[in-house]
Amino acid sequence: MKPMVNKVFYFLKSYFGFSRREARGFVFVIPVLILLYAFPYWVSAYYRASSEESYSSYLEKFRMLKEDSAFSSKKPLEANAGTTMLQEKENKEAKKQGNSLRAPERPGLNTIAFSKTTAVELQLVNGVGPVLSERIVAFRSKLGGFNRAEQLLEVYGVDAALAEKIFATFPFSPNITSKIDINAATVQELSQHPYIAFGEAKVIVAYRKQHGAYKMASDLLHIRIFSEDWVDRIAPYLNF
């Protein structure tokens, strides 16, 4: 054995110029490199064999399951007849109960016209409290009823969005409930109307005393301080 080793060392020294120490190291490294080179093949072979074994086991289980299913399908139909009829009966009962139970519908509310609402009923609208509802009803009463929907915006605290919500709950339609007899009303009575100031009431009465009774709303235009828009605004609330 030793002469063989010496020959190897001599070969390495002669052809590669290795010293004795380098030759020993080389001889040690060669088996390690061979092992490292062969290791992946060994691992691959191991996992391949394991996979083949698992696959064979899977096929065997699948075959057994298939045989069990085939055996079960050959059972007489009478064996399942009772169970099937019972299931059908239960399904019919469940369906019958499901059809008989219905969610109750929410009852609707009576529709009330805006002109007929009270301060309490107006509070049904989100955003309308006790104070604002009283203010709306008071203004409507002093006015003698609303002739146009936009008049609601004249109430302090009511904007366009809130007015739309109110009319969505309580539909609007023109409804004048009271009018002023312009040929008989006093200055105090005329000035009680939201659209007629005290000074304007005095002029109306003074002109009436000088020129006689008014016959139509356009007669007020003879008083030059009154514009056509002003007259059109109060005309629906005047009796002649």
Side-chain angles (χ1 to χ4, degrees):
M1 183 69 181
K2 187 174 182 180
M4 179 63 67
V5 173
N6 290 333
K7 288 181 180 181
V8 172
F9 288 162
Y10 178 78
F11 175 79
L12 294 174
K13 181 178 180 181
S14 300
Y15 286 90
F16 296 102
F18 288 169
S19 65
R20 191 171 183 83
R21 176 179 293 181
E22 290 173 342
R24 288 178 178 174
F26 182 78
V27 171
F28 175 76
V29 169
I30 290 299
V32 174
L33 292 176
I34 294 173
L35 289 175
L36 292 176
Y37 180 79
F39 182 74
Y41 292 96
W42 292 341
V43 173
S44 177
Y46 172 77
Y47 280 109
R48 184 166 55 251
S50 178
S51 298
E52 291 177 355
E53 183 180 354
S54 298
Y55 182 68
S56 299
S57 177
Y58 168 77
L59 291 178
E60 181 64 21
K61 290 181 180 179
F62 179 77
R63 184 184 62 79
M64 294 175 63
L65 180 62
K66 188 175 181 180
E67 291 177 355
D68 290 342
S69 299
F71 177 76
S72 298
S73 62
K74 294 179 181 179
K75 290 182 179 180
L77 294 177
E78 290 78 3
N80 295 327
T83 304
T84 302
M85 294 179 62
L86 180 61
Q87 290 177 347
E88 290 180 355
K89 184 177 180 180
E90 291 177 351
N91 291 337
K92 289 181 180 180
E93 291 294 331
K95 186 175 181 181
K96 183 178 180 181
Q97 292 180 0
N99 292 336
S100 62
L101 295 177
R102 296 179 179 273
E105 296 182 359
R106 182 176 181 179
L109 301 176
N110 292 328
T111 301
I112 303 176
F114 171 75
S115 59
K116 305 296 183 181
T117 55
T118 65
V120 173
E121 292 164 345
L122 284 173
Q123 294 180 46
L124 180 67
V125 180
N126 186 25
V128 179
V131 176
L132 183 57
S133 63
E134 291 287 353
R135 192 182 300 149
I136 292 172
V137 171
F139 180 76
R140 185 183 64 192
S141 178
K142 289 182 179 180
L143 198 61
F146 283 179
N147 184 51
R148 294 176 292 107
E150 294 81 359
Q151 289 175 290
L152 182 57
L153 300 178
E154 298 175 21
V155 180
Y156 177 76
V158 178
D159 56 16
L162 183 57
E164 290 181 359
K165 290 169 62 176
I166 292 174
F167 292 142
T169 306
F170 304 106
F172 174 83
S173 59
N175 186 41
I176 305 298
T177 57
S178 62
K179 295 186 177 184
I180 302 172
D181 187 347
I182 194 172
N183 291 315
T186 64
V187 173
Q188 288 75 17
E189 291 171 343
L190 286 170
S191 63
Q192 293 298 313
H193 195 276
Y195 290 167
I196 303 175
F198 184 78
E200 296 164 350
K202 288 196 299 182
V203 173
I204 291 173
V205 173
Y207 186 89
R208 186 183 66 198
K209 289 180 178 179
Q210 290 181 3
H211 300 279
Y214 297 102
K215 296 181 180 180
M216 59 186 68
S218 59
D219 290 343
L220 289 169
L221 293 175
H222 296 305
I223 305 173
R224 291 183 296 175
I225 63 171
F226 296 149
S227 66
E228 187 173 351
D229 290 340
W230 187 90
V231 173
D232 290 341
R233 189 187 188 197
I234 69 168
Y237 301 99
L238 301 177
N239 265 336
F240 298 89

